[in-house]
Amino acid sequence: MMTRSVAIYLFDEVEVLDFAAPYEVFTTAARVLRRSEPQVPVPFEVFTVGAARGLVRARAGLQVLAERAFDEVAHADVLLIPGGVVERQLQHAALIEWIATRARSAEVTASVCTGAFLLARAGLLDGRSATTHWEDLDDLRARFPRVRVEGGRRWIDHGDVITSAGITAGLDMSLHLVARLGGRALAEATARQLEVDWRDTP
């Protein structure tokens, strides 16, 4: 098994569980596999990315550290864009270009909740079905008419691009990604370690 890099983008007013749940899933998967098979490489190496290195203030005031600036990250195997209050991010041209460019070399680019708006702005969802938080479905349709927006889905997997619905749906999607990239047994062991009742169908 190869080690895949997982870059999680952070920004002011990011939804806490949108980034924290995937972070926990991927790091727990690495810990679970290392414990059971110490001779194999860790499956995931996770790091956080921001517009600049340093503290980011998430929703409700939680401060978290962006370990790298996005212009320092030339490649990630898995690029994860969480949601939250994304209006300022949608106007950040350099960020949108970075997402579009990194997605071309990533194995998977994934969004949680309103992170789908950033993928749409980067052109990654044109002509594709996608989902987001139920409160934001109509807004996504209105802003990005080339995206086929679907409600009632936990996630939608196109292989290279995945969108998920709101907040805890990102946890289920992340376990789905662990299953895809590291095997079903690892995903089930990770869910068990997290004491999560994994909803493994989209």
Side-chain angles (χ1 to χ4, degrees), residues 46-125:
V46 187
F47 58 91
T48 55
V49 184
R53 293 188 188 198
L55 289 175
V56 170
R57 189 175 293 276
R59 295 193 84 169
L62 177 68
Q63 293 188 69
V64 290
L65 181 67
E67 299 168 284
R68 307 182 195 181
F70 68 72
D71 60 5
E72 297 173 322
V73 179
H75 173 76
D77 297 305
V78 178
L79 178 61
L80 194 139
I81 309 297
V85 181
V86 297
E87 289 305 318
R88 290 179 61 189
Q89 308 307 311
L90 287 168
Q91 307 309 316
H92 194 326
L95 168 66
I96 300 304
E97 176 60 27
W98 178 78
I99 292 172
T101 302
R102 294 291 80 79
R104 286 197 285 271
S105 64
E107 187 173 354
V108 181
T109 300
S111 67
V112 181
C113 195
T114 53
F117 285 73
L118 298 176
L119 299 196
R121 179 75 81 200
L124 302 180
L125 303 181

Side-chain angles (χ1 to χ4, degrees), residues 8-9 11 14-23 26 79-86 109-119 131-133 136 154-155 162-174 177:
I8 300 178
Y9 180 65
F11 54 92
V14 63
E15 184 72 48
V16 173
L17 275 181
D18 282 11
F19 74 83
Y23 190 98
F26 288 113
L79 178 61
L80 194 139
I81 309 297
V85 181
V86 297
T109 300
S111 67
V112 181
C113 195
T114 53
F117 285 73
L118 298 176
L119 299 196
T131 195
T132 187
H133 192 283
D136 300 289
R154 295 292 279 177
W155 68 84
I162 303 179
T163 56
S164 71
I167 311 177
T168 60
L171 188 154
D172 290 333
M173 178 197 69
S174 297
L177 268 173

